[in-house]
Amino acid sequence: MRPYRRLSRKWIGILTALLTAMLLSGCAFGATIDTLLVPPRLSGEQEQIYQALQNAVGKDIKLQYPKTGDYLSAFILADFDGDREEESLVFYQKTGLSAVENNLRMNVLDKRGETWMSVCDVPAVGAEIERVMISPIGQRTETRIAVGYSVVDQSDRALVVYDYANGTLTQSFASPYSLFDIHDLDGNGTQELLIFRSDSSMGNALAMVYAPDAEDQFRKTQLALRSSCTGFSQVLYSRQEDGSAIVYADMLTGVTTMQTELIRYDGTKMHHVLEDESAASETNRSVSCLTLDIDGDGTPEIPVQTVFPGYEGTASDQNIRLTRWMVAEGSRLREKYRGYYSVSEGYAFMMPEQWRENVTAVSDGLTGDIVFYHYTGSLTEPMQELLRIGTASDRESRDSRLGEGYRLLRSRGNAYYFMYPVESTDPLCLPESDLMGCFLFVNG
């Protein structure tokens, strides 16, 4: 048990001011965090839609927001029925209902002249909205509304695809899911619905493609993935010469580990990209190392981590991790880059070709720099320093680094990235211009 600590006069004053402000603003002591949070300010058009919604369903409502995806607003504006005019889809909860009722609903509003009006109101099939996608699927050109719901404690999820026409929302498809996406998988110009499911009762996880035919029947093709998993983090794609896509699915294999499965869809069947069944296990890594197209060439790279030379057999918390960036080449994985990757700082240093087998990295406990050395067989023996990489999080630290001769590579907000090249006759010492081209930054 932590010992009782007496509040200082400073904190007593702050708490008194906060309590006074709450009382003056009418806040009750029983208020929850949700009641104290201020919702996002609505735009002019959103305010009009909100007023129209309240006129239709009452004022005892609370707007709901999708958690992920491109649509993160409670108000989704799009042309749902192909009339070249935008409608608005709004998610909301009715307040004051009993606990056994599902109070999440969705409402479609249409603009009649200059006035928004509610034209359709239906109950949702889940407790929260995970993701919304607005896109045609299959041979129909009309836009569909795909909504992923969490059902029970966010552990169960349900996907529902709606069609909207003549003021009515109609369910055209529903399925349990762990992760879903809409993409042109076979390169034929139409989009398919891709669903991944992880369920302990099923054994290995499943990948499923639903391709609506000319009669709008959702034809199903599925593939058992080679590994069991507890969930999926994301899905990315690369485009092949024939226009079809390779799907990179990052799947959770444990609390702290993940790996990537690669699959493709040829318009009829789904296939594993890697012929070797053990290849997927070669991508096993920390959950923080998501697949990403780090060099922006259209092909995702899988960051698989091992150790730099000299750390073999040492305790993991002492290791500096070496990252091998893997891509699919035919039916195998090929190492595209090798180097140091800082997930938390958002940058990667791709080692020059001549460094790959001859350089190791050490963390400088004093400065926090990552220091690269010409490795000669032992970390305890003297080694030639080749390069330092450092960061700073404020202007004072930035100026200090600049005064010490560091080169500023990139600034992003309050984050500053530096390198300090070393001049030496060592054959692995490279010009500053060559080293600067080895840095890649994540998310801008």
Side-chain angles (χ1 to χ4, degrees):
M1 179 179 296
R2 297 182 62 184
Y4 171 80
R5 298 178 63 185
R6 183 181 300 274
L7 289 174
S8 67
R9 291 184 178 180
K10 172 185 176 182
W11 282 108
I12 290 174
I14 291 173
L15 289 174
T16 301
L18 286 173
L19 290 172
T20 302
M22 290 173 65
L23 290 172
L24 291 176
S25 62
C27 293
F29 282 101
T32 65
I33 291 297
D34 285 341
T35 61
L36 295 176
L37 291 176
V38 178
R41 184 178 299 274
L42 302 181
S43 68
E45 186 166 39
Q46 288 176 341
E47 184 64 40
Q48 294 177 24
I49 297 170
Y50 185 55
Q51 292 297 326
L53 177 64
Q54 287 187 316
N55 292 339
V57 304
K59 296 185 180 298
D60 295 331
I61 60 175
K62 180 181 178 182
L63 297 177
Q64 296 298 301
Y65 300 80
K67 295 180 180 179
T68 63
D70 294 332
Y71 298 95
L72 298 177
S73 171
F75 303 90
I76 297 176
L77 294 170
D79 180 8
F80 299 128
D81 55 6
D83 65 354
R84 299 185 180 181
E85 298 289 339
E86 286 187 334
E87 291 77 38
S88 177
L89 174 66
V90 182
F91 296 96
Y92 71 96
Q93 282 184 330
K94 275 189 167 293
T95 57
L97 299 180
S98 67
V100 297
E101 296 180 85
N102 180 21
N103 58 357
L104 179 62
R105 302 185 68 85
M106 54 194 301
N107 189 289
V108 178
L109 300 98
D110 205 348
K111 202 168 188 180
R112 307 291 170 79
E114 297 299 319
T115 304
W116 284 97
M117 296 182 61
S118 171
V119 295
C120 180
D121 189 88
V122 297
V125 300
E128 295 183 302
I129 310 112
E130 295 292 328
R131 185 185 188 191
V132 177
M133 295 191 73
I134 311 296
S135 173
I137 305 174
Q139 299 183 26
R140 286 181 52 178
T141 59
E142 291 85 356
T143 295
R144 298 182 191 262
I145 306 167
V147 183
Y149 299 100
S150 57
V151 182
V152 180
D153 297 329
Q154 301 182 10
S155 58
D156 296 326
R157 292 180 176 180
L159 169 65
V160 179
V161 178
Y162 300 91
D163 294 323
Y164 175 74
N166 302 319
T168 302
L169 276 174
T170 305
Q171 290 190 22
S172 57
F173 176 85
S175 172
Y177 83 100
S178 299
L179 182 148
F180 80 92
D181 202 17
I182 299 171
H183 196 81
D184 181 6
L185 298 172
D186 56 3
N188 68 348
T190 62
Q191 310 243 68
E192 289 79 36
L193 176 61
L194 175 64
I195 295 178
F196 290 94
R197 284 191 63 192
S198 59
D199 188 333
S200 58
S201 64
M202 300 187 310
N204 285 10
L206 292 176
M208 295 165 283
V209 172
Y210 289 88
D213 57 22
E215 286 72 39
D216 204 35
Q217 298 298 311
F218 282 68
R219 295 185 294 104
K220 175 183 175 181
T221 302
Q222 74 176 36
L223 180 70
L225 302 184
R226 287 168 170 162
S227 302
S228 59
C229 71
T230 59
F232 292 85
S233 292
Q234 65 170 3
V235 59
L236 299 177
Y237 308 92
S238 66
R239 190 63 64 184
Q240 301 186 94
E241 290 185 1
D242 64 358
S244 64
I246 292 180
V247 180
Y248 293 68
D250 283 350
M251 45 194 281
L252 305 175
T253 55
V255 177
T256 61
T257 59
M258 74 185 324
Q259 63 186 41
T260 302
E261 287 255 15
L262 283 74
I263 59 177
R264 61 183 178 88
Y265 172 68
D266 64 9
T268 304
K269 295 179 61 178
M270 301 180 74
H271 308 270
H272 291 287
V273 171
L274 305 176
E275 292 181 353
D276 186 353
E277 292 191 9
S278 65
S281 63
E282 295 178 12
T283 67
N284 197 60
R285 61 198 189 275
S286 165
V287 293
S288 62
C289 293
L290 292 170
T291 300
L292 70 159
D293 181 8
I294 192 166
D295 58 5
D297 68 346
T299 299
E301 290 83 27
I302 306 170
V304 180
Q305 293 195 320
T306 179
V307 295
F308 274 95
Y311 291 95
E312 300 85 352
T314 60
S316 60
D317 60 348
Q318 299 176 359
N319 296 344
I320 302 297
R321 309 296 292 179
L322 170 73
T323 300
R324 303 172 64 219
W325 298 85
M326 311 299 290
V327 294
E329 188 172 84
S331 60
R332 296 181 176 276
L333 290 174
R334 173 180 65 85
E335 181 184 295
K336 186 175 182 181
Y337 303 113
R338 176 183 297 194
Y340 176 76
Y341 176 37
S342 174
V343 178
S344 60
E345 300 285 357
Y347 75 88
F349 172 73
M350 307 306 190
M351 293 197 302
E353 184 70 31
Q354 57 268 50
W355 282 22
R356 289 196 173 191
E357 304 296 336
N358 304 298
V359 170
T360 192
V362 175
S363 177
D364 187 324
L366 181 61
T367 64
D369 292 348
I370 299 299
V371 187
F372 294 86
Y373 291 97
H374 186 169
Y375 182 67
T376 55
S378 174
L379 293 176
T380 60
E381 298 294 328
M383 297 181 291
Q384 172 62 52
E385 183 177 322
L386 303 173
L387 173 69
R388 285 176 170 263
I389 301 174
T391 61
S393 57
D394 56 61
R395 292 188 177 183
E396 183 178 357
S397 299
R398 177 201 63 183
D399 294 343
S400 176
R401 291 285 177 118
L402 291 173
E404 294 168 359
Y406 284 78
R407 307 290 193 270
L408 180 63
L409 296 166
R410 169 81 59 99
S411 62
R412 184 164 50 190
N414 290 325
Y416 303 92
Y417 303 85
F418 298 92
M419 60 175 281
Y420 189 95
V422 177
E423 294 184 3
S424 168
T425 58
D426 189 291
L428 294 184
C429 275
L430 299 177
E432 179 180 329
S433 57
D434 290 356
L435 295 173
M436 291 183 68
C438 296
F439 287 88
L440 294 174
F441 294 86
V442 181
N443 296 329

